[in-house]
Amino acid sequence: MFKLHGIYAPIATPFAGGKIAYDKLEKNLDFWLKSDLEGIVVMGSNGEFVLLSSEEKVELMRFVCTRAKGKKPVIAGTGAESTMETIHLNEKAAEAGAEAVLVVTPNYYKGSMTDPVLARFYTDVANVSPLPLILYNMPRNTGINISAKLAVELAKHQNIIGIKDSSGNIVQIADMIRNAPKGFSVFAGSASFLYVSLVLGATGGTLALANVFPNECARLQKLFEAGKMEEARNLQMVLMDSNNAVTERWGIAGLKAAMEMIGLYGGPPRSPLVPLGETDREALRKILTQTGFFPKPTV
């Protein structure tokens, strides 16, 4: 069974002229695949997966998995509104060569997404998934929270191997780690609480900031696992402003602008999202520069 450990980057999807720019993605992948990342996530929230067609999702998974094969594991985001579509995408992820699938909560009918309904959704999907399944808790975007109680219940399923929790609720993360069966991995969903999650027993993280500072994010976990707690804590403090900038403050537009500043291709988000304006770009540049990790050589 695939083991969830280390730092993953939920990679951005590049667009040009409204279409996925595969030539740009190939160059970006070269940077990430040569980094200290454990692996990559395709079609996570930072990959603008909700703005992709079903056909684009399948093509994108194939492209990324083909180029990452033999280099780093790929986790594919396959969560959809219906159980049927999620199962379909899981099958396509397996065909593409992904190691696991990351499944976000259905959320349009959020008033109906009770714990029993979500338990049935994840169980039905996991029962037939050809790949191990990772729960994805993203309440800021979905308006739905996977409670610690529900996560622990689902963790008993042999094909559900972990959770990416982006809630930032440290008490909830602690409860999951404390009560879940041995072997169930809890991943921090943001670099802003990576260190404290590791202290509690998390096994890694899927971090937007790892698109921009992959080696630095990976280094934090390596320092922690080497027992260099003060160095790890200090690095956590350095990363926090940059992480906030490319997540809560400016989101996808900020992440793509930051990528351009280190020599990757960011490009515009897909409509209706809009690129970062010049004033905000300069503010972002100052934040990245303050880390001491920027500017970096272009790829």
Side-chain angles (χ1 to χ4, degrees):
M1 179 71 75
F2 174 70
K3 185 67 177 175
L4 195 57
H5 177 271
I7 302 302
Y8 282 69
I11 63 172
T13 303
F15 298 103
K19 298 182 179 180
I20 298 176
Y22 285 102
D23 58 334
K24 307 295 187 183
L25 178 55
E26 187 156 25
K27 292 180 180 179
N28 288 352
L29 280 169
D30 186 58
F31 171 70
W32 293 317
L33 293 173
K34 289 179 179 176
S35 74
D36 293 336
L37 291 171
E38 179 66 26
I40 57 179
V41 175
V42 61
M43 299 192 315
S45 296
N46 293 284
E48 299 173 69
F49 76 96
V50 295
L51 306 180
L52 302 176
S53 69
S54 295
E55 294 77 16
E56 285 176 320
K57 290 178 180 180
V58 173
E59 185 180 17
L60 183 58
M61 285 191 289
R62 287 174 180 164
F63 185 90
V64 171
C65 289
T66 297
R67 279 147 187 81
K69 188 175 182 180
K71 298 175 182 176
K72 294 187 188 297
V74 175
I75 297 171
T78 57
E81 285 300 306
S82 75
T83 301
M84 181 184 298
E85 178 68 6
T86 305
I87 289 171
H88 168 71
L89 288 173
N90 286 352
E91 292 169 350
K92 293 300 181 182
E95 292 173 9
E99 295 286 346
V101 290
L102 180 68
V103 180
V104 74
T105 52
N107 57 82
Y108 183 80
Y109 297 108
K110 57 178 55 65
S112 299
M113 292 298 114
T114 61
D115 275 11
V117 170
L118 289 174
R120 179 175 178 178
F121 165 74
Y122 280 113
T123 300
D124 287 348
V125 171
N127 281 344
V128 296
S129 176
L131 295 174
L133 187 151
I134 303 161
L135 310 172
Y136 183 13
N137 190 35
M138 185 51 161
R140 180 169 176 258
N141 287 1
T142 65
I144 295 171
N145 179 59
I146 298 177
S147 66
K149 181 180 178 181
L150 177 58
V152 170
E153 177 186 339
L154 291 169
K156 298 172 185 176
H157 194 291
Q158 62 180 4
N159 206 28
I160 298 178
I161 63 169
I163 184 170
K164 174 190 175 182
D165 194 313
S166 298
S167 69
N169 184 335
I170 297 302
V171 174
Q172 174 171 279
I173 290 172
D175 280 346
M176 291 177 184
I177 294 168
R178 180 181 61 177
N179 296 315
K182 184 178 180 181
F184 181 80
S185 298
V186 175
F187 253 31
S190 171
S192 63
F193 50 87
L194 175 60
Y195 176 79
V196 68
S197 297
L198 293 172
V199 169
L200 290 168
T203 61
T206 302
L207 320 172
L209 190 61
N211 281 277
V212 183
F213 295 142
N215 294 336
E216 292 77 12
C217 290
R219 183 168 177 260
L220 195 158
Q221 182 162 357
K222 290 177 182 176
L223 287 169
F224 174 81
E225 291 179 345
K228 299 179 179 179
M229 308 299 281
E230 185 174 359
E231 289 182 59
R233 187 186 68 83
N234 290 342
L235 180 52
Q236 171 71 82
M237 298 303 184
V238 171
L239 293 173
M240 289 185 74
D241 285 346
S242 292
N243 182 75
N244 180 66
V246 301
T247 55
E248 205 165 326
R249 186 169 180 183
W250 289 306
I252 301 294
L255 175 62
K256 288 191 163 182
M259 288 169 58
E260 290 173 354
M261 291 174 193
I262 67 163
L264 298 176
Y265 178 83
R270 177 165 270 185
S271 178
L273 300 180
V274 296
L276 208 63
E278 284 305 315
T279 300
D280 287 336
R281 279 178 179 266
E282 284 309 306
L284 173 59
R285 187 182 297 276
K286 289 180 181 178
I287 291 170
L288 296 178
T289 302
Q290 288 170 359
T291 63
F293 308 139
F294 173 81
K296 303 169 81 71
T298 57
V299 294

